[in-house]
Amino acid sequence: MSDSESTSQTLRDQAIAWLLRLRDAPEDAASQREFADWLAADPAHQAAYRQVQAQWAWLEPFKQHSFPARDAALRYRPATRPSVRRKWLAYAAAATVLLTLGLTIFSPQGWYGLPHSYSTGKGQRQVLALSDGTELELNTDTEVRVHFNHAQRQVDMIRGEAFFKVAHDAERPFRVQAGNLSVRDIGTAFNVYKQADRVSVAVQEGMVEMLSPSDRRELQAGQQLAYSDDQRFAAATSNNIASATAWRQGLLIFNGRRLAEVLAEIGRYHEVNIRLPDPTLAELRVNGSFRTEQLDSLLNAVATLLPISVKRVGEREIVLEAVSGKH
């Protein structure tokens, strides 16, 4: 164990001990003063105590369940009035019990598992190695909630897009929940894109099962399918796996996509409002491969293919207009 890890564990032990001590004697003025001194001694003490308080609050729903370690901690009461040293040793023992409880039962790898959220901002990508060996790659403006426990592995897609390279575990199925759609992995690598009106799934390797409240479909490597907000399966917007997963190389690939849809995709990567005042321009078709990082270069590249001009009207506002005489 490193020095930093040891220090962190010591602070958690102290914070849990203080939580138990204050719960045991909430009216003890001396304890309150000592606790205030402990908090003021180091900002790290405050952070550790807030973390412990949050964990204790999270444990509330489980207080009707019987866990030997948890019961032992909650039952702690000194039988007689012990010396200060003995009482603190007892609190430290209870702290160890709760710490062990948190690590073995409620941690992300534990029996129940504490869910954990991950997110990216606009223009960001992130690769995560999950506890089971699964690799999770988040695209721009994406948020997921990972919940692993002894029986299941589940990722909730809150918004955005992610690529999953799943480690096989026959005893714990891997599921991605996106609204009403559940995507069950059958040993594979696949992409899930949650949009406002649909969820698109593209399978690069292996197979997945898509489950809706009223239907199910299986997708094999090279196949794509979307599930729309009217609860129907539909063809995916992209027409090949390379296009659907090009974002992993920092690319956007369009094959005959409407300009309105292209601009919506570009908007996912940049904090800017791109307006298209002329509705007829929305139906223009875009073909090509574009880098996502440089907004001006991206829009200028689109403008070279279409009869449009790019005009900046503010720091975060861009207007696309028809080129006079060409539209």
Side-chain angles (χ1 to χ4, degrees), residues 90-265:
Y91 277 124
T96 301
V97 168
L98 280 187
L99 182 62
T100 302
L101 174 69
L103 291 176
T104 60
I105 297 180
F106 296 104
S107 72
Q109 295 79 37
W111 187 262
Y112 279 96
L114 278 168
H116 193 88
S117 295
Y118 301 94
S119 62
T120 55
K122 285 203 173 186
Q124 296 178 337
R125 296 199 308 271
Q126 184 178 9
V127 179
L128 303 166
L130 302 185
S131 60
D132 67 332
T134 292
E135 185 176 284
L136 171 57
E137 187 171 354
L138 306 183
N139 196 7
T140 177
D141 194 21
T142 294
E143 181 180 0
V144 299
R145 190 167 178 81
V146 178
H147 190 177
F148 285 9
N149 60 32
H150 73 290
Q152 68 171 355
R153 297 174 294 165
Q154 180 166 313
V155 175
D156 295 331
M157 289 288 301
I158 309 302
R159 70 175 189 278
E161 185 171 21
F163 185 86
F164 301 84
K165 191 170 183 179
V166 181
H168 180 67
D169 185 343
E171 308 241 334
R172 291 192 302 166
F174 190 100
R175 292 181 182 273
V176 178
Q177 192 69 37
N180 290 328
L181 181 69
S182 177
V183 182
R184 184 173 71 90
D185 162 70
I186 310 177
T188 188
F190 60 99
N191 194 79
V192 178
Y193 180 15
K194 184 179 182 183
Q195 299 172 264
D197 61 344
R198 63 177 54 203
V199 177
S200 299
V201 178
V203 180
Q204 187 177 80
E205 299 174 11
M207 180 186 299
V208 301
E209 180 183 46
M210 298 174 65
L211 297 166
S212 74
S214 59
D215 201 356
R216 67 177 291 276
R217 302 289 176 89
E218 284 190 353
L219 293 184
Q220 297 184 353
Q223 295 183 323
Q224 299 183 68
L225 193 63
Y227 181 72
S228 62
D229 60 356
D230 61 1
Q231 300 188 16
R232 296 182 181 180
F233 287 102
T237 304
S238 174
N239 56 13
N240 62 66
I241 300 300
S243 297
T245 60
W247 62 267
R248 301 178 64 206
Q249 286 76 47
L251 295 173
L252 289 173
I253 299 178
F254 303 115
N255 296 299
R257 292 281 297 277
R258 295 172 58 248
L259 178 59
E261 295 173 354
V262 169
L263 296 181
E265 287 296 309

